Amino acid sequence: MTDDRHIPDAAQGEIVYDDAASAQVIAAEGADAPAPALSDGAGCHAGADAMRAAAQAAGKSETLDRYAADYPQGPHDKPQSMCPAFGSLRVGLRMRRTASVLCGSACCVYGLTFTSHFYGAKRTVGYVPFNSETLVTGKLFEDVREAVFQLADPDLYDAMVVTNLCVPTASGVPLQLLPKEINGVRIVGIDVPGFGVPTHAEAKDVLAGAMLKFARTEAEAGPVAAPRVRAERPTVTLLGEMFPADPVGIGMMLEPLGLAAGPVVPTREWRELYAALDCAAVAAIHPFYTASIREFQTAGRPVIGSAPVGVDGTAAWLDAVGAACGVAQAQTDAAKNRFLPAIAGALAAKPVQGRITVSGYEGSELLVARLLIESGAEVPYVGSACPRTKWSDPDREWLEARGVRVQFRASLEQDIAAVEEFGPDLAIGTTPVVQHAKQKAIPALYFTNLISARPLMGPAGAGSLAQVVNAALGNKARFDRMRDFFEGVGTGHAAGVWEDTPQDRPTFRHVYAKKVAKARAAEEAVGS
């Protein structure tokens, strides 16, 4: 049945929903599949270059070339980050009626599942073990195929995500040869190697893009299941994970334009993918979702960069949305007149005074910096582990116009160097950046847990950072007292926990160094 409320697309046609399928009762999540026994398998310590060369030789060149284009690593080496597959795994584990299966070294699977459950995942992670024999002989793919067939229960799952980690990718395990569907369960196979996907944030896009492509081809082929709730107005799909209150706030700002907030991608359910594609425009809140943007553009949907953050950001974003969706300028101006004074008032009511450096790997670092600057803070440096894209240009240009140094693909060393160079009153960053700052008696906040976990958009976002940021800025005196009290304790030869303070023995170190040098010279003499 065609829903005539949806905006037509000349290239792809309208999304057609199957209302009969939509009326079916969705079964509750089923029992988890039993976890197979672990085996040692092949190691993944050959190095990125060696594994990349092996993957190319094994037929993965097209995949790696696509990743290199979507997620460029320049201008310098990739940043330090957790295993990228953590990002794609978390996307799958957050989705209802979706099974997640990993194929990789046992140590990697253990670490990924541990971290995922530490962050609150409550669904089982499937695992297909392997060893050198099954990897080399091709039996591993047959094992994956058998596992997929055993797990594909339509009463429990709408989709199954099978992920190759580093070793299976390097060995060319061909997940693309798996059936696209088994008993009505969609099979989505992806490669997420650490040597091909730079960060876990971008790995979220790998899976989101693969799912959008699958859903788009389904919608092109015929009627699809409608989402649980359909908006009465044309929608703006929100691309990138956000604090739960932000989509609500964005929806309020879109209402005067005759628009509604659409699904947030990555979605929490398969059928939401159709609604995400069936939009008037896409807001790239996280501008590095390159694969997802490609699918939306293939479907003929316009994409808008930046986000409604602060007064300037909200004004520019509403103008961009209105232009993309054909909204009369008078309506857009009315929306700005309604919300911009409220945002300005909220910012003025909760000012932030101080110099702050910002860094992280979530992808929203530039938005946070914009909000801090409009709150009154001085932000000399912003570092993001994610790459620069055309969709981040509005934020980059706004920041650079105010003298901010913006570093994409920022390394840990660059983030720490910024703390050293600018001597901030507060450092916002990743765990090692926070540790370095606190060791220097500089207050610091962990970006992911303390900054990302707050609204940023519209009136609700204005001033939302002030409480935690100002509280941290006010801790400078405490850090000074702690530094003075603990100065020199637990460093160098005295590192660790001791009943008596160890005495430094430089003579012993000198004698030992001479013995090591003598032994090394003897070995070199034998080798010659």
Side-chain angles (χ1 to χ4, degrees), residues 11-37:
Q12 301 298 332
E14 295 179 343
I15 298 284
V16 180
Y17 291 125
D18 185 341
D19 286 343
S22 303
Q24 295 177 354
V25 177
I26 298 179
E29 289 284 346
D32 293 320

Side-chain angles (χ1 to χ4, degrees), residues 154-173:
D155 292 333
L156 302 179
Y157 303 116
D158 294 327
M160 186 186 310
V161 179
V162 186
T163 304
N164 268 346
L165 303 181
C166 287
V167 172
T169 298
S171 301
V173 176

Side-chain angles (χ1 to χ4, degrees), residues 43-56 64 166-171 195:
C44 54
H45 312 292
D49 292 339
M51 298 195 74
R52 187 179 297 108
Q56 291 170 337
L64 295 181
C166 287
V167 172
T169 298
S171 301
F195 56 84

Side-chain angles (χ1 to χ4, degrees), residues 115-438:
T115 308
S116 295
H117 291 108
F118 178 82
Y119 276 90
K122 297 180 180 179
R123 295 186 176 92
T124 291
V125 179
Y127 170 48
V128 181
F130 65 90
N131 55 36
S132 298
E133 179 182 354
T134 60
L135 188 67
V136 172
T137 62
K139 178 66 165 53
L140 175 56
F141 174 73
E142 296 301 323
D143 292 343
V144 172
R145 190 174 186 277
E146 180 182 358
V148 167
F149 270 92
Q150 290 179 356
L151 196 58
D153 184 346
D155 292 333
L156 302 179
Y157 303 116
D158 294 327
M160 186 186 310
V161 179
V162 186
T163 304
N164 268 346
L165 303 181
C166 287
V167 172
T169 298
S171 301
V173 176
L175 296 182
Q176 67 272 18
L177 297 183
L178 291 173
K180 299 299 181 186
E181 186 176 301
I182 301 173
N183 299 327
V185 179
R186 303 162 184 86
I187 310 300
V188 181
I190 57 174
D191 294 277
V192 190
F195 56 84
V197 182
T199 67
H200 78 284
E202 289 158 292
K204 296 176 183 178
D205 177 52
V206 172
L207 180 52
M211 287 185 162
L212 282 168
K213 183 176 182 178
F214 203 120
R216 179 176 58 79
T217 56
E218 287 183 319
E220 291 172 355
V224 294
R228 296 172 186 266
V229 179
R230 279 189 263 180
E232 296 180 357
R233 306 186 197 94
T235 60
V236 176
T237 293
L238 307 176
L239 187 55
E241 293 179 312
M242 288 180 286
F243 185 74
D246 277 334
V248 178
I250 290 175
M252 294 174 62
M253 289 186 284
L254 291 174
E255 185 177 356
L257 305 182
L259 302 170
V264 176
V265 177
T267 64
R268 295 301 181 97
E269 189 175 20
W270 184 272
R271 61 176 62 195
E272 290 180 355
L273 293 165
Y274 309 129
L277 289 161
D278 194 18
C279 63
V282 178
I285 306 296
H286 286 193
F288 56 88
Y289 275 62
T290 313
S292 299
I293 288 174
R294 181 166 56 249
E295 295 306 319
F296 285 116
Q297 290 179 324
T298 300
R301 310 311 187 210
V303 181
I304 302 152
S306 192
V309 169
V311 175
D312 290 355
T314 301
W317 189 81
L318 288 173
D319 282 334
V321 170
C325 298
V327 176
Q329 187 61 44
Q331 278 184 274
T332 303
D333 291 340
K336 291 194 291 184
N337 292 336
R338 176 178 171 183
F339 290 103
L340 296 186
I343 295 172
L347 291 171
K350 296 181 178 180
V352 175
Q353 300 296 326
R355 179 181 298 170
I356 303 173
T357 57
V358 178
S359 57
Y361 47 55
E362 300 295 335
S364 56
E365 292 78 25
L366 276 65
L367 299 178
V368 169
R370 290 191 64 156
L371 194 55
L372 289 172
I373 289 173
E374 287 207 27
S375 297
E378 176 192 354
V379 181
Y381 172 85
V382 179
S384 175
C386 296
R388 173 181 170 180
T389 70
K390 63 181 292 186
W391 314 111
S392 63
D393 281 347
D395 300 319
R396 177 187 57 79
E397 292 166 359
W398 190 92
L399 290 168
E400 290 180 343
R402 286 153 182 81
V404 181
R405 182 194 304 167
V406 181
Q407 178 64 62
F408 293 101
R409 284 285 185 246
S411 66
L412 172 60
E413 291 79 8
Q414 288 173 312
D415 292 340
I416 288 178
V419 173
E420 294 289 333
E421 177 182 354
F422 295 109
D425 301 308
L426 173 67
I428 296 174
T430 57
T431 302
V433 174
V434 168
Q435 178 185 13
H436 177 83
K438 288 183 176 180

